[in-house]
Amino acid sequence: VQLQACGGGLVQAGESLRLSCAASGRTFSIYTVGWFRQAQGKERELVAVISGGGGVTDYGDAMKGRFTISRDNAKNTVDLQMNSLKPEDTAVYYCAAARFYDRIWSRYDYWGQGTQVTVSS
């Protein structure tokens, strides 16, 4: 599976941004997809994860109620809608795929290149 993330940019606090992860391969629906982020000087953390069929989702605590993950297996895409963005959301965001559902980034086998999200105050 090859992944490509896009949609990052510079926004002001309170605004919204939508990230998209496009995947190659005909078996995309068997993979759990997660969005992770890494801010400068900090550890990589879970943003959101969605099961292969899309029926199970989970979020990092700081994202609950503000971010929504969704997927379209017919288009091989996973989107992350981010609302009410805060300066502390500034980070490089990565999408990743794993054969089994997991919240731990190190258990993901396939990674996109990352997209920068910057939120100004």
Side-chain angles (χ1 to χ4, degrees):
V1 176
Q2 291 185 321
L3 305 172
Q4 185 170 2
C6 64
L10 172 63
V11 297
Q12 293 187 335
E15 294 185 340
S16 298
L17 207 58
R18 188 175 185 91
L19 305 183
S20 185
C21 178
S24 64
R26 294 177 294 176
T27 58
F28 178 63
S29 63
I30 69 173
Y31 290 94
T32 287
V33 174
W35 281 97
F36 299 87
R37 71 184 185 186
Q38 188 164 18
Q40 194 169 9
K42 296 187 177 181
E43 294 186 355
R44 191 166 298 189
E45 63 174 343
L46 172 72
V47 176
V49 57
I50 188 166
S51 61
V56 180
T57 60
D58 200 4
Y59 299 88
D61 289 343
M63 299 78 178
K64 290 179 180 177
R66 299 189 299 127
F67 292 9
T68 303
I69 190 171
S70 61
R71 69 188 296 162
D72 185 338
N73 285 337
K75 296 181 179 179
N76 281 12
T77 58
V78 174
D79 289 346
L80 181 69
Q81 177 66 41
M82 305 186 295
N83 298 329
S84 303
L85 283 162
K86 306 174 181 180
E88 50 264 43
D89 293 318
T90 296
V92 177
Y93 285 69
Y94 300 89
C95 62
R99 184 62 184 87
F100 301 103
Y101 189 87
D102 209 297
R103 291 170 53 92
I104 308 300
W105 69 265
S106 59
R107 296 174 182 169
Y108 281 68
D109 300 311
Y110 307 97
W111 289 82
Q113 81 284 10
T115 184
Q116 176 70 47
V117 172
T118 303
V119 184
S120 64
S121 57

